[in-house]
Structures are given as structure tokens and as C-alpha cells.
Amino acid sequence: MNTELHDYDVIIVGYGPVGVTAANLLGGMGVRVAVIERDASIFPRARAISTDEEVLRIWQGIGLAERLKQDMLAGRPIDFVDARGRSFLSLAPAPRGNGHPPQLFIYQPAMEQVLRDGVRRYPNVEVLLGHDCAAVEQDSDGVIVTAHDLADDTVRTLRAAYLIATDGGSSPIRTRLGVGFDGRTYHDRWVVIDTRVKRGWDTVDRLRFHCDPARPAVDCPMPQGHHRWEFPVLPGEDEQDLVSHDYIWRLLRRYGRTPDEVEILRAVIYSHHVRFAARWRIRRIFLAGDAAHAMPPWIGEGMSSGVRDAGNLCWKLAAVLRGELPDDVLDSYEVERKPHVREMTTQAVRFGRIITERRRGLTALRNITFRVLMRVPAFRAYMQEAGWFPSDSYRKGLLDHTGGNRAVGEQLPQPWVQTEGGDRVRLDDVLAGRWTLLHTGPARPWPAWAVGGIRCLRVTPSGSTPVPGAIVDDEDVLIPWMRRHHATVVALRPDVVVYAAATGDADLPRPPFVHPPQSPVAEQTPPPTATTTA
């Protein structure tokens, strides 16, 4: 038995999409990380099937967005259809200003492979696959983890200042800590059928919710030639029969699919959950992703919400570890993220009700109502522009609302801009994960911000000549946005959320820095192209 103590800054338990995103984020910030994952390889079944532009923006920050998008499907329409296959609600979501397509369908094993390849860029990140987190203890100085190597039955002892538990909905760490996971599990169970497309059909590239009261169904395109169907288990049906080859084909043939068109890869039964951990921070341990919350799949935001957790938490951990911010800043993680997750879950439940309603009178009323409402321009625009989709903005947390400016807590949109050298790049590539002041007026000093790695950039209108200390708003997005929010200067956190804002000559309050922030770690070389097979 190996009892040597291995020291790190952060230990991540769980190496799914949330854990691997956290490892990339922290690795790029120079944090010493150990990852513990029980499985020796990537889980072969695609669980999540979509993501969105806000998540791609986080992955852009780790230099992997463009590579990931190569394996995704974007710009696919969404149809809600009645029992006869006639559409009563059709959407083509419009972008919300993050610089990426609003919705993208994914094949999760391929996506995870690219993210894992990305972690290999960082020698400061050690990944222990095939290791079980056998024990976790914490004291006033850190966390101690016992990692059991399942291959050779050896044990390693790891110590770090903090731990992030991304170990799934059943989270052994959350259970050991005695943290409640309140909510409900829906009575209905669903069969998920993953297939490979052998020959396409006319609606193969559309997400279709078949809102049939006899048996609702989900019919979803996926990249790399995959396609998914989901059906509820009806009362009296045997779950073992439902995943049999013959029964699967009975379900698929109902929608016209034949063995000439698709090959069945696998079928599993699962339940829908609505649950929230009672606490997301337990001293030096943080819960993220499914360990902290679970939501139904109807708007495809379960995995994406977990990635947002990592995007919110990791830069704060890095700043605290560098001594730039005090430890109590980490309390803002749950304060900021939990309300957004609750809003997202509420919308998922609402859409689920539209899809799964089985009372025939109500489904008939639903179909008529939506067909009428979609003829109303304001309602159609609300649905197409995703007015119902909760924006990733914060009302409380690591923010300063002095002056009451409504830009505070909002995430700045990401247009294309020109740098002082004349290069045309996305805004976040200029900001590079640093505290930044953006202003639209004449240059002036902000004494409280004239420290360390904080930059001050002026935003000039499109058509302007690039000059030192300024960026050109090539798409005329930033200046109108600041004008609508009555802000001539905004102070941006590393996650591009507005910490403080002001207009005119008003000064900005400085964040609770212990020491001035430092410039981030230099950008790493992107990982090689990855391939994954089913």
C-alpha cells in the first residue's frame, strides 16, 4: 500500500463533461490539479444530446470551441407535432449574442474525447483513471482523499486546498457529507434508443417532439450519423420487454423507420428527476453538475448547466489560490448559480408538460392554442428569440450594485472586434479571462482599478481606425448594449460578467482584492484532432 502524500491545489472527483471542463479551466490557469475517475475509459453511451452558445463560449475560453463544433450539428429546426404528425409549434432558435450557434446537437463520447485531449496540454493536471475515491476528509487547511487504484489494488493519498465533486447524480461524496438532495423523481420511466443512421429520411435532421397522447416520443438528430428516440414506458408494460429487439422495432416502425434506415446500437430505461442539493459548498468541498442538481431533459440543459457551474467556480478558485481574492468569495458560487439552475429546471418542466400531456381534451386545446399564438408576431418572436430561455445573469453574488446600474450581473455579449493591430477576433479572445474595464467615453483614470493585471480598453464604433488601448466594435453590438444599460464604463470579471458599471464621471467600486490580480497563464497549444467510435 502506497501511503505517500501527493499535494495539489484542487482535486476533481468525476471526469465527465463537467469534471473535464473544470480540469481544462484550472489547468490553463496554472492550478495544480488531480482528477480521480472510477471508470478506465469514456462512458460509451451518449447521455446528453445538446448544448448551447453560452457553453461554447466557456469552451472557447479553453481554446476548444472550434474543434468541438466540428463534431456538432448546428442550426437544426425544432418541431412539436400532434398525433398525426402535423406541426403546432416550430422553432429555429435565434442567437443570443454569445458568438456561437444558439443550439448544437452533440455526440457525447466524441465531445468528451476532445475535452480530455485538451487536458493533456497541461503538465500541472494529473488524471487518475480507474481510481475510486475511497475516502474524503477535510480540515481547516485542506482536503485529504484516499484514491484506490482498481487495476492493481494500490492506494494513493492526495491532499489539496479544495475539492470539486462532479461525481454524478448519485454522488458518493454528497452522500458521505450528508447533504440533502431534495426534489422528486417522476413516476414515468422512459426508454432511450440510440441508433446509427444507414440511410436518411426527410426529417432526419429535425428535432421532433411527437406530442401524441397515446404515447409521446422524442425523435432527435445527433452528429456522426447517430439518431435517438425516446418513449415513455406505459402502465402495464414490462421494462425488460421494452428494450428487447422486437419491441424496439415496434416502436420505431410506428414512425416509419426500418432496418434499412437505422441500426440499433443500444436501448436503456431511465427516470426523470428534479432535485437540488441543499448546499453546494461544504467548507472546502464544492458540488457541481449532476452532484448539485438534476433536471428533466426537455430543453437539453442538464449537462450545460453543469458546465456553467465549472465556468463560474474555477476562475474564483484560481484567484483565491493565487491570493488575489479572499476565501469567502467562493460562497458566491452557489448564490449565483443556484437561482439560474432553478429557473432552467422550471422551464424544462414546463416544456415537458407540453410534450407529455396525455389527456386528449387538453392536447386538442394545446394544439389549437399554439397554432393560433404562432400567428401572432410578438409571440412568434418571443419563441424564436428564446425569450423563455433564462439568461445566464446574476442578481446576487460577487457583484457591486452601487449606483443601481442594470448592467451589473449581466454577461456581456460577444461580437467580433478589431484589435489595435487590426486583427479581427471574438471579444473574449481579447479579454483572455482577465479583469477588464471597457469604456466608451474619453480615456480617464480609474484609480481603484489601476492595479496588477487589470486592463482598461476603450470601445470605438465600427469603421474606426484601430488605435492602441482600444477595440473596434465591428458589429456595433457593444456600444448599443452599454447605451441600453446606461453605462459608459463596465468592470468585467474573468467570466465576462459585469461586476460594476457606471455612467459619466462616476467612479467604480473595486472588488475585494486581497492582492492585485495577475495576468493569466499563457494560452496553450490546442490538442490534436480526436476521433471516437460507438
Side-chain angles (χ1 to χ4, degrees):
M1 179 179 294
N2 184 356
T3 58
E4 181 182 354
L5 190 65
H6 301 263
D7 282 314
Y8 303 89
D9 297 317
V10 177
I11 296 170
I12 300 170
V13 180
Y15 205 38
V18 181
V20 71
T21 297
N24 273 285
L25 288 164
L26 293 171
M29 297 171 191
V31 176
R32 295 175 303 147
V33 177
V35 180
I36 301 173
E37 167 56 50
R38 182 179 179 84
D39 293 333
S41 58
I42 292 172
F43 190 72
R45 183 170 65 84
R47 291 164 289 186
I49 57 174
S50 71
T51 191
D52 62 52
E53 61 190 274
E54 292 174 357
V55 170
L56 262 294
R57 194 170 178 179
I58 293 171
W59 287 335
Q60 178 190 336
I62 58 175
L64 297 178
E66 297 309 310
R67 172 62 190 89
L68 286 163
K69 285 195 291 189
Q70 292 176 18
D71 295 332
M72 298 179 178
L73 295 177
R76 297 305 191 265
I78 303 171
D79 277 339
F80 294 73
V81 302
D82 61 19
R84 297 172 62 181
R86 300 172 302 181
S87 175
F88 63 83
L89 176 61
S90 185
L91 304 175
R96 296 183 299 278
N98 289 281
H100 298 282
Q103 183 180 51
L104 305 99
F105 294 104
I106 66 173
Y107 182 59
Q108 186 174 336
M111 179 199 76
E112 288 192 41
Q113 187 63 61
V114 173
L115 290 169
R116 289 192 180 192
D117 288 345
V119 171
R120 294 175 186 158
R121 296 172 291 179
Y122 307 116
N124 48 307
V125 179
E126 182 177 9
V127 180
L128 303 176
L129 299 177
H131 284 68
D132 181 45
C133 179
V136 177
E137 300 176 5
Q138 58 178 323
D139 54 33
S140 60
D141 297 320
V143 183
I144 299 176
V145 171
T146 303
H148 177 207
D149 189 329
L150 301 176
D152 61 16
D153 202 29
T154 59
V155 171
R156 295 181 62 173
T157 304
L158 293 70
R159 184 177 181 90
Y162 298 99
L163 182 147
I164 307 174
T166 62
D167 52 344
S170 60
S171 182
I173 290 179
R174 186 190 65 235
T175 301
R176 288 171 185 155
L177 293 170
V179 176
F181 200 44
D182 299 328
R184 60 175 293 198
T185 295
Y186 284 81
H187 175 73
D188 287 350
R189 302 260 285 164
W190 286 69
V191 57
V192 177
I193 304 168
D194 284 327
T195 68
R196 187 189 304 280
V197 177
K198 297 161 66 175
R199 188 184 70 203
W201 56 95
D202 57 350
T203 58
V204 69
D205 66 340
R206 303 177 76 90
L207 170 59
R208 306 186 87 200
F209 293 108
H210 299 271
C211 305
D212 183 350
R215 190 197 292 266
V218 180
D219 171 4
C220 181
M222 298 169 68
Q224 301 188 2
H226 293 266
H227 203 91
R228 170 173 289 181
W229 278 268
E230 300 182 17
F231 302 91
V233 179
L234 300 183
E237 289 185 322
D238 184 280
E239 291 187 3
Q240 294 300 317
D241 289 342
L242 205 59
V243 296
S244 68
H245 189 81
D246 290 343
Y247 209 116
I248 290 170
W249 278 116
R250 283 176 57 187
L251 294 172
L252 296 185
R253 284 194 174 98
R254 185 178 180 188
Y255 293 99
R257 305 288 70 81
T258 69
D260 291 333
E261 294 172 320
V262 297
E263 170 193 359
I264 297 171
L265 298 178
R266 58 189 67 86
V268 296
I269 305 286
Y270 74 94
S271 299
H272 294 165
H273 308 278
V274 174
R275 296 191 180 275
F276 304 93
R279 292 180 292 158
W280 293 16
R281 179 184 188 182
I282 306 90
R283 296 165 60 197
R284 291 181 170 271
I285 297 174
F286 299 85
L287 306 179
D290 289 349
H293 46 78
M295 71 177 69
W298 303 119
I299 58 174
E301 285 294 321
M303 179 202 74
S304 296
S305 292
V307 173
R308 288 185 180 89
D309 294 345
N312 182 286
L313 176 61
C314 286
W315 73 266
K316 296 174 183 175
L317 280 172
V320 171
L321 288 163
R322 289 193 297 259
E324 298 169 5
L325 291 171
D327 174 87
D328 60 10
V329 158
L330 299 174
D331 294 336
S332 68
Y333 161 59
E334 179 179 345
V335 170
E336 292 177 354
R337 286 293 304 134
K338 199 169 191 175
H340 183 264
V341 173
R342 285 190 179 276
E343 289 181 36
M344 198 70 77
T345 303
T346 297
Q347 290 294 14
V349 170
R350 286 174 179 164
F351 270 78
R353 288 172 180 161
I354 294 173
I355 298 161
T356 62
E357 179 59 60
R358 296 181 194 171
R359 290 168 290 186
R360 293 185 179 276
L362 287 180
T363 59
L365 179 62
R366 171 200 63 195
N367 301 346
I368 293 170
T369 300
F370 274 104
R371 287 189 177 111
V372 171
L373 287 174
M374 287 299 285
R375 297 191 184 103
V376 178
F379 182 82
R380 185 169 61 250
Y382 173 79
M383 297 301 296
Q384 295 283 14
E385 295 170 9
W388 51 269
F389 191 90
S391 62
D392 197 4
S393 59
Y394 308 131
R395 291 178 287 276
K396 298 179 181 179
L398 181 55
L399 309 166
D400 195 304
H401 289 280
T402 303
N405 192 285
R406 62 186 184 183
V408 175
E410 298 290 326
Q411 189 175 53
L412 199 70
Q414 180 182 213
W416 289 88
V417 299
Q418 281 191 65
T419 66
E420 61 184 59
D423 297 323
R424 192 170 188 265
V425 299
R426 289 189 176 98
L427 174 65
D428 290 5
D429 295 335
V430 176
L431 302 177
R434 296 169 61 180
W435 286 90
T436 304
L437 294 185
L438 290 184
H439 67 96
T440 57
R444 63 176 290 262
W446 281 272
W449 291 84
V451 295
I454 297 175
R455 293 183 304 171
C456 182
L457 292 174
R458 184 181 179 188
V459 183
T460 62
S462 62
S464 303
T465 301
V467 296
I471 54 174
V472 179
D473 187 8
D474 251 12
E475 297 181 292
D476 284 324
V477 168
L478 294 177
I479 294 175
W481 187 92
M482 293 174 71
R483 188 178 298 123
R484 287 196 304 273
H485 289 81
H486 306 291
T488 55
V489 58
V490 294
L492 299 175
R493 309 185 326 186
D495 57 356
V496 206
V497 170
V498 177
Y499 169 79
T503 187
D505 294 330
D507 281 327
L508 290 173
R510 178 178 146 178
F513 294 132
V514 176
H515 297 290
Q518 303 300 308
S519 297
V521 174
E523 185 175 347
Q524 305 291 320
T525 304
T529 299
T531 57
T532 300
T533 57

